[in-house]
Amino acid sequence: MTITTSTPAPPAVRPYESYVYAYPHKTAYRPLADRPALRDLWAAEPKDALSLYLHIPFCEVRCGFCNLFTRIGAPEELTTRYLDALDRQAAAVREALGDEGPVRFAAAAFGGGTPTFLTAGELERLCDTAEKRMGAELRSVPLSVETSPSTATADRLAVLADRGATRVSIGVQSFVDAEARAAVRPQRRADVEAALGRIREAAIPVLNIDLIYGIDGQTERSWLASLDAALAWRPEELYLYPLYVRPLTGLHRLGTAVGPDSEALEQTAWDEQRLRLYAVGRDHLLAHGYEQVSMRMFRRADAPREAQDGPEDYACQTDGMIGLGCGARSYTAGLHYSFDYAVDMREIRSIIDRFTATDDFSRAEVGRFVDADEARRRHLLQSLLQAAGLPVADYRARFGTDPGADFPAELAKFAARGWLDRAAPDGLLRLSPLGLAHSDALGPALFSPGVRAAMAAYERK
């Protein structure tokens, strides 16, 4: 990869180890020998503030940086067979949740892949599965849907708006055509702008635009040009992602990966470039009326909060999640479970085919049990990576201990590196600006030895 900056002294810590969007990561999951029944797993769980996620594993293209569970295209009525299986799974899961107590969904999301790969009629069916099978009131809760420039068509967006979508997230990555090509994302700015126009015309309350920094050939000037192009649409949210080159992805196969050993200086220069572009992007958005929510997320200060955050009684650290689809995760207090995981296209196709042929969805197949220590780590990690930080009283109320007592070595290390905000009010554990910038190093530092070992032993496929 060509680096657009000179090589500075190596940083003390690699700032880009891993993006932690869930803990434990799916590479730590393993087949569950006893295949526990979902009814037993959910019997004692609170079910009055669940999150519902429906996964659609199809895209029109596979971007060079993408390691998500998705395949290109859906031949031979595969989307129909997939939606049939999703409906069977939803019926089995809803039955497993039972009716002994209230079952309520506080938030919903359609992700992928690209959910809007489905036709307008298929999106109607997807919403029916969420509402009629699961009982989710999509028009009464925040509903987020991911889309792409080529699939954000007027008819699809009309369905989503009518069925209650409050947020649409579109992956643009760059408004500079040459940078999009460098990221192996075939698109033209004109098509992106047209898609954004259709989203605004659909009057969905929250527009999120994803952008990526660290692309080959990207400069501060071109990065600011992309930011300004996004800001012209006054999006309620912007996500700024550092580029990663992961194994088995298109960029990795093209040989643009930067090796941590043989090309250590080049890797260091790329780290420094991404840190610099992150700071440029952060400062630019803060100057234009956005608030920083996390390392990646920025929200317009006057944006509608309820459409984004959901009810006050829902918390991702404590409440359960129901995931439907072969790439979705489900969370109970004691077990995180899903289906098999892969990045290679052939393996993904095989897993999707097995999912569509499945009749019995009443048991958990692949997952990882979460003990008390892991629950504490997950709570600390998910809270600390938010700019608002962790109220120690909330942690104490849930676990009966303090994070400083449970994780003294980790927090002392973070403090020594300047990652903790020393000016935070008493009782609030919060990252400093430097700590937020190093979220992708801080998050993995909280992984347990067991999770690290399982991830290291995972055989990529």
Side-chain angles (χ1 to χ4, degrees), residues 291-297 299 305 309 317 379-394 419-421 423-433 435-436 439:
E291 301 170 338
Q292 186 166 18
V293 179
S294 68
M295 172 187 164
R296 287 165 171 76
M297 180 183 175
R299 177 166 51 199
R305 299 301 177 91
D309 298 336
Q317 296 94 332
H379 190 107
L380 176 62
L381 190 155
Q382 289 188 308
S383 302
L384 199 56
L385 292 182
Q386 300 297 306
L390 167 65
V392 174
D394 291 354
W419 292 356
L420 299 183
D421 183 2
D426 289 343
L428 181 65
L429 192 60
R430 186 172 65 191
L431 296 183
S432 65
L436 277 174
S439 291

Side-chain angles (χ1 to χ4, degrees), residues 56 58 60 110-111 113-120 123 126 145-153 156-157 160 168-169:
I56 303 300
F58 307 113
E60 70 276 17
F110 301 158
T114 308
T116 50
F117 179 89
L118 300 177
T119 65
L123 285 171
L126 185 69
V145 184
E146 296 174 16
T147 191
S148 67
S150 64
T151 63
T153 58
R156 292 175 170 103
L157 293 168
L160 296 176
V168 168
S169 177

Side-chain angles (χ1 to χ4, degrees), residues 14-130:
R14 284 289 318 282
Y16 299 106
E17 182 176 338
S18 178
Y19 170 28
V20 183
Y21 55 89
Y23 179 79
H25 191 270
K26 285 177 73 173
T27 54
Y29 292 11
R30 294 294 184 271
L32 300 168
D34 55 349
R35 298 179 64 244
L38 300 188
R39 176 174 288 276
D40 295 336
L41 291 175
W42 286 97
E45 296 287 315
K47 298 182 280 286
D48 59 343
L50 297 172
S51 178
L52 179 64
Y53 178 79
L54 278 68
H55 179 253
I56 303 300
F58 307 113
C59 290
E60 70 276 17
V61 295
R62 187 82 180 270
C63 301
F65 50 83
C66 178
N67 71 337
L68 297 178
F69 187 96
T70 186
R71 61 161 292 165
I72 300 172
E76 300 177 0
E77 302 299 320
L78 179 56
T79 55
T80 298
R81 288 187 280 120
Y82 185 83
L83 291 173
D84 288 344
L86 198 70
D87 201 59
R88 293 195 300 273
Q89 184 190 15
V93 171
R94 183 60 188 86
E95 181 179 0
L97 293 177
D99 295 310
E100 294 79 12
V103 176
R104 168 178 165 267
F105 292 96
F110 301 158
T114 308
T116 50
F117 179 89
L118 300 177
T119 65
E122 291 170 331
L123 285 171
E124 291 274 17
R125 185 180 178 192
L126 185 69
C127 292
D128 285 344
T129 295

Side-chain angles (χ1 to χ4, degrees), residues 68-261:
L68 297 178
F69 187 96
T70 186
R71 61 161 292 165
I72 300 172
E76 300 177 0
E77 302 299 320
L78 179 56
T79 55
T80 298
R81 288 187 280 120
Y82 185 83
L83 291 173
D84 288 344
L86 198 70
D87 201 59
R88 293 195 300 273
Q89 184 190 15
V93 171
R94 183 60 188 86
E95 181 179 0
L97 293 177
D99 295 310
E100 294 79 12
V103 176
R104 168 178 165 267
F105 292 96
F110 301 158
T114 308
T116 50
F117 179 89
L118 300 177
T119 65
E122 291 170 331
L123 285 171
E124 291 274 17
R125 185 180 178 192
L126 185 69
C127 292
D128 285 344
T129 295
E131 293 185 331
K132 297 177 181 179
R133 289 295 193 191
M134 296 303 302
E137 298 178 4
L138 296 183
R139 293 180 178 88
S140 301
V141 301
L143 170 59
S144 177
V145 184
E146 296 174 16
T147 191
S148 67
S150 64
T151 63
T153 58
D155 59 339
R156 292 175 170 103
L157 293 168
V159 168
L160 296 176
D162 179 66
R163 299 302 290 263
T166 56
R167 177 180 184 270
V168 168
S169 177
I170 182 168
V172 173
Q173 320 315 348
S174 177
F175 283 86
V176 179
D177 288 350
E179 291 179 4
R181 289 193 297 272
V184 193
R185 183 177 178 85
Q187 67 184 26
R188 296 184 308 132
R189 176 170 176 172
D191 297 330
V192 171
E193 300 278 2
L196 289 167
R198 291 191 294 270
I199 293 172
R200 280 313 197 194
E201 289 171 3
I204 294 171
V206 175
L207 164 64
N208 173 72
I209 297 176
D210 289 344
L211 297 176
I212 286 181
Y213 55 92
I215 299 172
D216 192 20
Q218 191 176 50
T219 64
E220 290 185 26
R221 183 176 180 178
S222 66
W223 176 228
L224 286 170
S226 274
L227 290 166
D228 285 336
L231 288 171
W233 293 97
R234 299 199 74 242
E236 285 71 24
E237 294 177 4
L238 276 159
Y239 271 71
L240 309 185
Y241 288 93
L243 179 65
Y244 278 89
V245 178
R246 299 178 177 94
L248 303 181
T249 61
L251 287 178
H252 188 267
R253 287 193 298 272
L254 288 173
T256 54
V258 181
D261 298 320

